[in-house]
Amino acid sequence: MRRAVVVGGSFGGLLAARVLADFAEDVVVLEPDALDVEGAGPGAPHRRQLHALLAMGHRQLERWFPQITDDLLSGGARLGTGAAIQFYVDGTLKAPVHDAQMIGTTRTFLERVVRQRVRSLPGVRSVAGRATGLIVREGRVQGVRFTAGGNEAEHELDADFVVDAMGRSSRLGAWLEHAGWPAPALDRMRVDLGYATASFHRGSELPGTVIAHSSPGPSTNYQPALSEPGALVAVEDDRWAVVIAGYADYRPTRDPVAFLARMRRCVSPLQEVALKCELASGVETFHFRESQRREFTRLTRFPGGLVALGDAVATVNPIYGQGLTLATLQASSLAAHLRSGASPHEPARGYFRRVAVVVDAAWQLCTTADLAQPHITGPYPCGYPVLRWAADRITEASVTDPEINRTYMDVVNMVRHPRALTHPRTLLRTARHLLTR
C-alpha cells in the first residue's frame, strides 16, 4: 500500500499503525485530541481509570514491540509472577498459578510508551484533525475527510486503506449509510456498571503483591454489596492504583471517605492499603452503561479498503479487563489478514471473520457472567440456566484446585477460548473435586 490512514490515536489506533507500518509506505494517524504529557486527552475520560493488560495482551504487545516490557519496567512498572498475582472470589484467595505473569502499570504510562515506539517507526506520522467522513469511490474507501485547527473547512487525505479506531463513539455506521452502504447491526446488553479509581503512595507494605483482584461469586449470588469487588495494582511512581466497582444503585462515588470505607470492606490487600497508605490523588469515577458489539460479519455489502478495530468493534464490561487485550488481538488479526495476500482494496471479510472469533469469545464470557447480576434482565442465551450452574461449579472448584484454576485463568486472560471450561476433562475434574468436598 502507498498510504494507510488510522482514524484515532488511542491504544487500538497505535497498534493498528504498528501493524500497517509493515505493509504501507506512509501510515498516517489522524487524532483530534491534543494529548497531554499524561496521555489523557479530553476524548477519553476513562483513560485514567485502572486498566488491565491480560496475559494474552502482554504477549501480543511484546510481539509487536520487542522488549517493551523492559521499557515499562525501567519506567517503574511492576511485573507480577506466580503468588504476586492474587485473585479472590467471595473473599477467598484462589489457588495460585505459579508461572502466571501480569504487568502492573497505568494505562496512561502504557499508552505513552507504545506511542513513543510507534512514533519512532519509519513511515509513521501523526496529523492533528477530526475525521468528518469517508471518501468512497468505485466500491471502496479511498480516503478520509477531516477538519483541523478549529477551522470548519474540510480537507481530504487520500488512502489505500482506512482503519476506524475512533472507539466506542465511532461514527462509522452513519458515514457508511451516508455513502449508500448499510451500517453494521449493534448488539447491546445493559450493564449499568460504575467504577472509581484512586492512587495511593506505595511503601513497604504488601511486599509480595503486585496485583490483587476481588470479585463476588456463587456463594454470595454475585451481589457486590456482599462481596466488595475491587482491585489494586502496583504501578509506576511507587503508587498503588485501586479500583472499586459496583452496579446500579451500588455504584461508587467521588467521595474519598466512602471510597476508603469500601476498601476496608474488601479483601485484605485492599484493607491494608486503605489503613496504611496515603491517598495520592482524587477519586475518579466512570459510568459504563452497556456492552456493545458491531456485527460486521452480518453485512452482505461492505466497501473495500476499510476495517474497524478496538472499541469501534466491541466494548464489553470493563470489570473483566478485556478491552486492551481485545485491541491487541484485533491488531494481530489485521496482520494475519494482510499477510494472507488479501487485497487491501477488497472488502476485508477475512479480517472481520478473524475478529469475530475473538470478540464472540469475550462477549460470551462477560455476558454469561453479567447475567448473574440480579438487575440485568437479559437477553438470555439458549440453555442459560445450565450454563450458569456449570459456570458456578467450575468457579467454586477453581478456588482450591490448581489445575482447574489454571484453565479458568487461561480463559480469563484470553489465552484459551471459553470452550476450554466445558472440555470433558475440566468438567470431570470439577465433578470429582465437588464430590470429594
Side-chain angles (χ1 to χ4, degrees):
M1 291 178 279
R2 188 180 63 84
R3 177 182 292 154
V5 174
V6 180
V7 184
S10 190
F11 188 75
L14 293 170
L15 288 166
R18 167 60 191 91
V19 169
L20 290 168
D22 291 344
F23 297 93
E25 299 171 16
D26 181 25
V27 179
V28 177
V29 180
L30 186 64
E31 170 58 53
D33 295 331
L35 298 175
D36 60 27
V37 292
E38 294 298 321
H46 65 288
R47 271 197 182 106
R48 296 186 187 275
Q49 298 292 332
L50 179 60
H51 285 68
L53 184 66
L54 303 179
M56 178 55 85
H58 186 192
R59 292 183 191 180
Q60 297 297 320
L61 197 66
E62 188 70 29
R63 169 191 175 186
W64 291 110
F65 304 100
Q67 284 80 55
I68 195 170
T69 301
D70 295 338
D71 294 348
L72 292 166
L73 297 181
S74 66
R78 296 285 305 278
L79 183 64
T81 60
I85 305 169
Q86 300 160 12
F87 279 80
Y88 294 78
V89 173
D90 286 331
T92 301
L93 180 62
K94 298 184 71 174
V97 178
H98 294 292
D99 58 351
Q101 284 193 343
M102 289 185 75
I103 196 158
T105 179
T106 62
R107 172 169 174 170
T108 52
F109 178 56
L110 173 65
E111 210 165 77
R112 191 185 318 152
V113 173
V114 171
R115 185 175 294 108
Q116 290 169 351
R117 284 290 198 100
V118 171
R119 285 178 173 172
S120 69
L121 294 170
V124 178
R125 58 192 175 99
S126 297
V127 171
R130 181 176 298 277
T132 57
L134 301 173
I135 302 169
V136 187
R137 302 189 190 101
E138 300 173 357
R140 69 180 182 91
V141 174
Q142 299 191 26
V144 177
R145 295 185 180 89
F146 69 99
T147 59
N151 193 324
E152 293 301 317
E154 279 194 334
H155 307 271
E156 292 190 355
L157 189 62
D158 66 294
D160 294 299
F161 196 75
V162 173
V163 178
D164 169 19
M166 292 184 286
R168 183 183 178 89
S169 60
S170 168
R171 303 181 296 282
L172 181 60
W175 291 352
L176 287 171
E177 290 181 328
H178 180 74
W181 297 82
L186 183 63
D187 288 341
R188 291 184 166 120
M189 176 175 282
R190 186 160 182 83
V191 174
D192 200 14
L193 172 76
Y195 53 103
T197 296
S199 65
F200 293 78
H201 293 288
R202 175 161 50 89
S204 58
E205 67 284 336
L206 302 177
T209 302
V210 174
I211 294 169
H213 179 279
S214 172
S215 61
S219 66
T220 59
N221 198 27
Y222 297 91
Q223 296 186 48
L226 300 179
S227 182
E228 194 76 61
L232 68 79
V233 178
V235 298
E236 66 277 4
D237 298 327
D238 295 322
R239 304 281 181 96
W240 292 110
V242 178
V243 64
I244 296 291
Y247 293 94
D249 295 336
Y250 197 63
R251 299 197 305 266
T253 68
R254 298 173 67 93
D255 180 4
V257 174
F259 189 88
L260 289 167
R262 291 179 71 153
M263 285 181 65
R264 289 192 289 269
R265 295 195 298 269
C266 201
V267 293
S268 57
L270 278 82
Q271 293 176 15
E272 189 161 351
V273 169
L275 293 171
K276 294 184 178 180
C277 301
E278 181 184 354
L279 266 168
S281 72
V283 179
E284 303 235 12
T285 58
F286 191 76
H287 185 198
F288 182 86
R289 291 174 174 79
E290 62 181 16
S291 297
Q292 298 180 356
R293 63 174 171 179
R294 292 178 170 89
E295 294 280 13
F296 288 93
T297 55
R298 294 186 196 172
L299 293 173
T300 57
R301 294 175 59 243
F302 194 75
L306 175 67
V307 299
L309 188 146
D311 286 356
V313 176
T315 54
V316 294
N317 188 339
I319 203 168
Y320 308 112
Q322 296 172 313
L324 296 182
T325 300
L326 270 175
T328 67
L329 287 166
Q330 290 174 51
S332 294
S333 297
L334 176 60
H337 172 69
L338 294 174
R339 281 201 313 270
S340 72
S343 168
H345 295 164
E346 296 297 320
R349 299 193 185 282
Y351 165 76
F352 285 116
R353 283 194 296 268
R354 288 175 169 89
V355 164
V357 174
V358 177
V359 170
D360 290 352
W363 185 268
Q364 175 188 339
L365 189 69
C366 74
T367 56
T368 301
D370 287 341
L371 287 169
Q373 292 293 328
H375 74 285
I376 296 179
T377 58
Y380 291 90
C382 181
Y384 174 75
V386 175
L387 289 174
R388 177 76 270 151
W389 183 88
D392 287 349
R393 303 293 80 77
I394 294 168
T395 299
E396 290 172 357
S398 73
V399 173
T400 53
D401 187 292
E403 184 173 329
I404 294 175
N405 193 42
R406 173 181 291 279
T407 302
Y408 187 98
M409 295 310 299
D410 278 351
V411 171
V412 168
N413 277 288
M414 302 185 76
V415 174
R416 299 177 68 183
H417 192 278
R419 70 170 65 95
L421 294 175
T422 57
H423 190 278
R425 179 177 176 180
T426 303
L427 294 176
L428 181 60
R429 189 174 179 92
T430 299
R432 287 174 177 167
H433 174 85
L434 295 175
L435 287 170
T436 302
R437 188 188 65 176

